[in-house]
């Protein structure tokens, strides 16, 4: 059996007329005029109205979306969704001054999101340094400053749900 390419037109006994919009080794994703998007097995019973060959998409929409998200996170200010540890959800940060004045309360979620924004902006700065025309010595020096910034932020690791999201400064050898 030959696999149909994207754009092939078919007539399915149950779903009617449709166009193949994605192909895997086992399934066709077909957009039917009357029934919308359906996934059918490649060996299903249907009539081929127009077969297009060699139009099989080797990359799924999911892979394209995932790649685009990675590129945006790497090269822009788009922030990654990072969950706060469950015990801090709905909590508040209370800053108590050393003088007899009023405390300042901040929702911990708000504070956490600002910490995440700082981290994301450090990452963008890191990428811009790496792709800049600076000489290697200057790049290394700026990278060391960023690493020290991460080290200064390790205090806030307690807020993260996953240890994979922790700030990491210079590692001792």
């Amino acid at each position: 059996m030959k696999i149909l390419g994207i754009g092939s037109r078919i007539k399915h006994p149950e779903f009617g007329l449709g166009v193949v919009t994605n192909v895997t080794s086992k399934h066709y994703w077909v957009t039917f005029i009357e029934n919308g998007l359906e996934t059918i097995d490649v060996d299903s019973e249907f009539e081929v109205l127009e077969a297009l060959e060699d139009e099989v998409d080797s990359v799924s929409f999911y892979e394209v979306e995932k790649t685009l998200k990675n590129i945006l996170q790497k090269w822009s200010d788009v922030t990654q969704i990072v969950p706060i540890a469950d015990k801090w959800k709905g909590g508040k940060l209370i800053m108590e001054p050393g003088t007899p004045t009023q405390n300042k309360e901040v929702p911990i979620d708000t504070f956490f999101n600002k910490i995440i924004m700082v981290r994301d902006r450090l990452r963008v700065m890191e990428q811009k340094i790496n792709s800049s025309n600076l000489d290697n010595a200057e790049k290394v020096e700026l990278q060391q400053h960023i690493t020290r910034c991460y080290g200064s932020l390790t205090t806030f690791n307690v807020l993260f749900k996953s240890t994979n999201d922790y700030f990491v400064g210079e590692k001792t050898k």
Side-chain angles (χ1 to χ4, degrees), residues 60-73:
S60 71
F61 178 74
Y62 170 79
E63 291 167 325
V64 170
E65 183 180 35
K66 184 178 169 188
T67 302
L68 182 58
K69 282 181 183 177
N70 288 340
I71 290 168
L72 288 173
Q73 287 172 355

Side-chain angles (χ1 to χ4, degrees), residues 33-48:
I33 295 171
E34 301 288 325
N35 293 291
L37 183 64
E38 294 288 340
T39 304
I40 62 172
D41 294 338
V42 293
D43 57 358
S44 297
E45 291 296 319
F46 55 83
E47 178 186 348
V48 178

